[in-house]
Amino acid sequence: MDSKPSTNTKTDNNLSPTTPVIFKNGEYITGKDILPGYYIASTKNKSGDLLIIRKDYRIQNVSQRLGTDGPAPYMVDNFDIELKKGDKVNLYNFESNVTFTPISNKEAEKRKAEREAIAKKAAQEKAAKEEQERKEQEARKAEQEAAQKQAQSTSISFKNCTEARAAGAAPVHRGDPGYASHLDRDGDGIGCDQ
């Protein structure tokens, strides 16, 4: 079967469910200019805007930046879309044509499942990373608290200078472990120096 793309115009009624359809900027009606079904919309050049206005107001309209000159997720180079009879396809600002390549319902479901699996994996990886970061932060906090408790529990204090001398800590300078104002009778910053 010939899969050579055809350029449809608003007057072309020879539509094929297996032939890619190529559109230029403009508005096209599903069922008149393109058959209802699943498609991969793509462009090979700089970006433009694809807008699908649904005939059935209960189904959300689609607006997608389509092209090759911008970062994902704001822009994609191809986009899966289901077109229903009466939907309007609007193309704006494209420097080249937009190709709508038909895909089967089975292929569309497969591609959707693949995208969902990728999104689920990315979400799981993000959640795992966030959990790991949370655990690391908790571990750092626990280490800091333990170090503070250790410093507090191992801080030296002496009842008097006899105790400080017996421990070999005398004289004790202000700022050193074990220094306390009751050990520094003359207030010169050196305890147990007399």
Side-chain angles (χ1 to χ4, degrees):
M1 186 169 217
D2 185 18
S3 64
K4 182 179 175 186
S6 65
T7 303
N8 288 333
T9 65
K10 292 186 181 199
T11 59
D12 185 1
N13 291 321
N14 298 321
L15 302 177
S16 166
T18 59
T19 303
V21 179
I22 298 174
F23 289 135
K24 296 180 180 185
N25 290 324
E27 181 176 274
Y28 304 91
I29 308 290
T30 306
K32 181 179 178 187
D33 303 308
I34 186 170
L35 292 174
Y38 290 96
Y39 293 87
I40 300 171
S42 62
T43 187
K44 294 180 181 173
N45 210 330
K46 294 186 178 179
S47 63
D49 298 300
L50 166 69
L51 176 65
I52 308 295
I53 300 173
R54 300 294 187 181
K55 180 179 180 181
D56 183 346
Y57 67 90
R58 294 171 293 181
I59 301 173
Q60 184 175 356
N61 291 338
V62 176
S63 177
Q64 181 65 52
R65 190 96 173 129
L66 188 64
T68 59
D69 61 343
Y74 308 108
M75 183 180 309
V76 294
D77 60 356
N78 68 67
F79 180 69
D80 293 9
I81 187 73
E82 179 184 10
L83 298 176
K84 296 182 180 276
K85 186 171 183 173
D87 289 349
K88 293 180 183 178
V89 178
N90 293 280
L91 304 172
Y92 304 101
N93 305 316
F94 286 98
E95 291 182 16
S96 65
N97 297 330
V98 177
T99 302
F100 287 80
T101 305
I103 56 175
S104 68
N105 293 358
K106 186 177 178 180
E107 178 67 15
E109 291 301 318
K110 178 183 170 191
R111 289 173 60 93
K112 180 180 178 183
E114 288 170 354
R115 283 191 310 276
E116 288 173 352
I118 289 169
K120 182 178 179 181
K121 182 179 178 184
Q124 289 172 338
E125 288 172 354
K126 180 181 178 185
K129 182 179 178 183
E130 288 172 352
E131 179 66 14
Q132 180 66 27
E133 289 172 355
R134 185 189 63 77
K135 286 180 179 180
E136 289 172 0
Q137 187 177 18
E138 284 180 2
R140 283 191 299 272
K141 184 178 178 182
E143 287 174 10
Q144 290 172 346
E145 289 174 355
Q148 288 173 347
K149 286 181 182 179
Q150 179 69 18
Q152 291 169 354
S153 67
T154 59
S155 64
I156 302 168
S157 64
F158 304 108
K159 291 181 184 178
N160 53 44
C161 286
T162 305
E163 208 176 88
R165 286 187 190 98
V172 183
H173 296 84
R174 186 177 287 133
D176 288 346
Y179 176 85
S181 60
H182 72 276
L183 300 175
D184 186 7
R185 292 182 185 193
D186 58 358
D188 65 351
I190 303 170
C192 303
D193 59 337
Q194 299 177 6

